Amino acid sequence: MRRTTTLRTALSTALLLATAALGFTPASAATATGSAAPAASAVSARSSDSPAPAASRLSPGLLTALGRDLGLTEAAAADRLRAESAARAVEAPARRAAGAAYGGSWFDAGSGRLTVALTDRARRAAVEAAGAETVLVRRTARALDAAKARIDRLDAPAGVASWHVDPEANAVAVNVVDDRRGDPAVRAFVERARQAGPVAVRTTGEAPRTFAAGTVGGDPYYTGNVRCSIGFSVHGGFVTAGHCGSRGAAVYGWDRSYVGTFQGSSFPGDDYAWVSVGSGWWTVPVVLGWGTVPDQLVRGSAEAPIGSSVCRSGSTTRWHCGTVLARNETVNYSQGAVHQMTKTSVCAEPGDSGGSFISGDQAQGVTSGGWGNCSGGGQTWHQPVNEILNRYGLRLHTA
């Protein structure tokens, strides 16, 4: 964050506090606001169990946004956030209790509890004692991950959008573009994927793409002729999307003053980067609410289970929410595949790239790309923040 007029300074503070919430798109620009970060230290990322949020922490604005995007009353949204926080805390001990019989897990919005898939009935009592519901399946998560890894080694045609392990289906879901499903190359890929392991074929309306945007007003950061959003503040800088800039590239703020440089960047394969900051800029642990909701404090980075609600802040489309649809998904962008992504039902548009995804007060990831828009709907992927922190030895700036 940085200086100038009272209004601009206040907004910048919110931005650098909140930039964690902006962003979308791989490969070119995305608008941003956000959070710059101070002092980098080689500390591995950690994510602690998060207690259920106190009623005082559930802002009316956040409940309104969740209600709008998920079709919930404010009371139901508050109940859901508390249930999701409890599910996050249960996930790790339930997985330990499952041991080698673990087949994956997800948040069940109907029951308000975490569900754990098991291949061994004998582990059921221990997992349920940890606070989760259980369901018996044929295949372990390890077996499904191995099948997905084999599919990752295949060359995917443009008509194949993505693939991920679906714990509820107990299979690898392969998503093909609806009007390309009859293409010989797509059919051949699906056949090879089935040889790699259990596959469930699904269709999607469009192929994933990056959400590049030209430079426009707002509070972005710039690198070359690209604009993107700040993701989350870390000690020493901020994290963002890798497609936004390469290592050594200079970064400039909304006022075109020098902010810092890309210290590390990876795209495709991954889609993450981190930028060091200085020159009068500093960072704060906040995600910008854009007036839709109050700016959101970041208190940790506990990963939200599949099925949980998640929100994204971006300088083009502001604040939107949805649910986590899948983890560890391989996304087949035209620039190349990106691995270990999280898929969500949140919409985004050009200019939202590189910014933050947050669930409750827990940082989730930086916006990568997707399909659709915020008028007709779509899906967006983010690169999990804990992977970025661990890759570069960074420490998340938390409240």
Side-chain angles (χ1 to χ4, degrees):
M1 180 189 127
R2 179 188 173 96
R3 61 194 180 72
T4 77
T5 66
T6 303
L7 175 60
R8 198 57 165 176
T9 301
L11 180 56
S12 282
T13 305
L15 292 178
L16 287 179
L17 257 167
T19 25
L22 300 177
F24 202 95
T25 159
S28 248
T31 107
T33 269
S35 77
S41 65
V43 179
S44 359
R46 40 187 185 101
S47 112
S48 55
D49 293 341
S50 56
S56 60
R57 290 188 187 175
L58 300 178
S59 72
L62 174 59
L63 299 179
T64 298
L66 283 171
R68 175 198 67 194
D69 293 338
L70 298 184
L72 302 173
T73 65
E74 289 194 12
D79 288 343
R80 176 161 180 157
L81 285 174
R82 294 187 185 97
E84 289 173 352
S85 183
R88 281 198 299 270
V90 164
E91 189 171 28
R95 181 167 187 162
R96 288 193 295 269
Y102 180 73
S105 61
W106 59 92
F107 175 76
D108 185 329
S111 68
R113 298 180 64 190
L114 185 77
T115 298
V116 174
L118 296 171
T119 58
D120 183 355
R121 189 184 303 271
R123 307 305 302 169
R124 173 172 271 174
V127 173
E128 292 178 349
E133 295 184 337
T134 58
V135 60
L136 291 175
V137 295
R138 292 179 55 194
R139 307 172 189 94
T140 66
R142 175 174 289 189
L144 294 174
D145 287 343
K148 179 186 175 290
R150 289 190 289 272
I151 297 173
D152 283 342
R153 293 193 284 271
L154 302 177
D155 290 328
V160 176
S162 63
W163 53 95
H164 67 274
V165 170
D166 182 343
E168 288 192 75
N170 199 224
V172 178
V174 174
N175 303 294
V176 303
V177 180
D178 190 44
D179 61 4
R180 304 288 298 276
R181 57 184 174 178
D183 290 2
V186 171
R187 295 174 67 178
F189 178 88
V190 170
E191 183 56 37
R192 292 195 300 271
R194 285 190 169 124
Q195 294 170 11
V199 162
V201 179
R202 295 167 185 167
T203 59
T204 185
E206 300 177 32
R209 65 189 185 279
T210 61
F211 285 90
T215 58
V216 297
D219 288 279
Y221 76 81
Y222 299 87
T223 177
N225 63 350
V226 167
R227 65 181 174 87
C228 277
S229 301
I230 296 171
F232 290 95
S233 291
V234 296
H235 290 278
F238 63 83
V239 295
T240 187
H243 66 267
C244 291
S246 52
R247 184 176 181 182
V251 173
Y252 299 88
W254 58 267
D255 60 355
R256 295 294 185 169
S257 65
Y258 178 74
V259 173
T261 59
F262 277 85
Q263 298 297 311
S265 179
S266 179
F267 178 81
D270 308 296
D271 192 8
Y272 52 61
W274 86 277
V275 174
S276 61
V277 303
S279 304
W281 291 83
W282 67 92
T283 62
V284 285
V286 173
V287 170
L288 189 65
W290 292 102
T292 300
V293 302
D295 296 340
Q296 301 294 301
L297 288 173
V298 177
R299 300 183 185 276
S301 58
E303 189 175 17
I306 294 170
S308 299
S309 63
V310 66
C311 296
R312 179 195 56 72
S313 168
S315 60
T316 295
T317 58
R318 305 304 195 236
W319 185 274
H320 285 274
C321 303
T323 58
V324 177
L325 300 177
R327 290 178 178 174
N328 189 24
E329 182 153 35
T330 297
V331 181
N332 190 30
Y333 291 127
S334 61
Q335 299 93 332
V338 176
H339 306 285
Q340 296 181 315
M341 303 273 271
T342 295
K343 179 163 68 177
T344 76
S345 64
V346 185
C347 68
E349 296 179 9
D352 284 331
S353 197
S356 32
F357 269 83
I358 188 167
S359 182
D361 55 10
Q362 300 295 303
Q364 297 298 303
V366 300
T367 305
S368 173
W371 63 269
N373 55 53
C374 289
S375 297
Q379 295 177 343
T380 306
W381 285 269
H382 70 71
Q383 182 87 68
V385 68
N386 286 331
E387 180 182 355
I388 309 171
L389 300 178
N390 285 320
R391 169 63 180 82
Y392 294 118
L394 301 170
R395 185 160 56 94
L396 188 67
H397 190 173
T398 57

